[in-house]
Amino acid sequence: MEILYCSLHNLDLGKDDPVRKEIPSDFNSYIAEYVNFATTENKTSRMYSVPDHNTTVMHCIAELAAGAGRQGNEVTDDAASSELSDSIARKLFVVEQATQMRMEHLTNLQHGSIVQAFISDQGEYQYIIAKVEHSEWYDGETLAKNFGFPGENKRVWKSAVIDLSIEDGSVTHGNVKVFSNTGAQYWTKDFLEVREANSDKVNTEEVLKIMNRELKRFVKGKSLYDYYNLKNSLNHALQSDQMINYSDLVGSLLDTYQPIEPSVNKEEIQKKLLGYVDSGRFDTQFHADPSVVKKNSRIKYRVNEYVNLMVLQAQPDRESLIRAEIDVTGEKRLVIACEDDNTFKAFYKAT
């Protein structure tokens, strides 16, 4: 990876404009860490597309990248590049000011700085914008307010990685991978002005399809009990309208689960499922769509020649509702908790 251009602006909403900071050589390691987080390390993101290539941010990115392309992958016009990155920082600054005024009765926006980087990696180009944590402190002698960055645990509040293709000086925007630690809509709607590539319904369907397929492949043939138990837990985790982090979902499903069948290798399953994080087939952070999960939760079991059992939705504790046992004669029985009086009376015979 080669960083062709980078910039840093402090965002102090009490000022009139963002403040550009010169980047000393020993700060480049910080820039590289922020870039690595946004492009590689972060596993919680959503994919977006660019509906309008002439918005402030996308236009400035295209102009900066086109200039570098014409100059043989070098950013030599510092003044023009600085003006373009200043415009991007200014756009975020204005959006955050408006958002803060609108939301100040509820919360305050996270203070931070904006890092921008134009990178080349094996012939592929990306533009990275990251809002990162900074700390405010006052000089002990002059009492002037300064900004600093933590030596460890560098936090990225929000980021966007814009894929770019450059051909004959013409720049085309590709996918936009977005991370937001709060899910704040202003970052994508008002600042980047991008559109979600996948809906929550599509994400939920794809995650369910992938995870169910791998559970069938690795578990169903070895242990029906473990398979249906894990399937029930998966459906239960997704059946409410809540924010899902895919890696956390996999962890919550398998980390503490103890299969009753020793041949079920949960570490192998977990590794396989986590391998889909970078597949691009779904967003790794999304709201679960209950309508999709409800359909997936409906399971029909054949009890005997005359009776079928239909389970309509996932439950947090499956065994509290349905329990299987074998009596002294070896006969298999299902014991089902019954909450409906009429159903119970239809089968109950007082002694």
Side-chain angles (χ1 to χ4, degrees), residues 7 23 46 136-137 151 162 207 247 267 275 280 306 313 319 324:
S7 67
I23 302 176
R46 298 199 69 158
E136 299 177 1
W137 54 277
I162 301 96
V207 165
S247 296
E267 288 77 18
Y306 306 101
Q313 63 181 16
E319 291 189 2

Side-chain angles (χ1 to χ4, degrees), residues 185-198:
Q185 292 187 3
Y186 80 83
W187 180 254
T188 52
K189 182 179 179 182
D190 302 318
F191 170 54
L192 297 170
E193 298 181 82
V194 290
R195 182 171 56 206
E196 286 184 354
N198 296 328

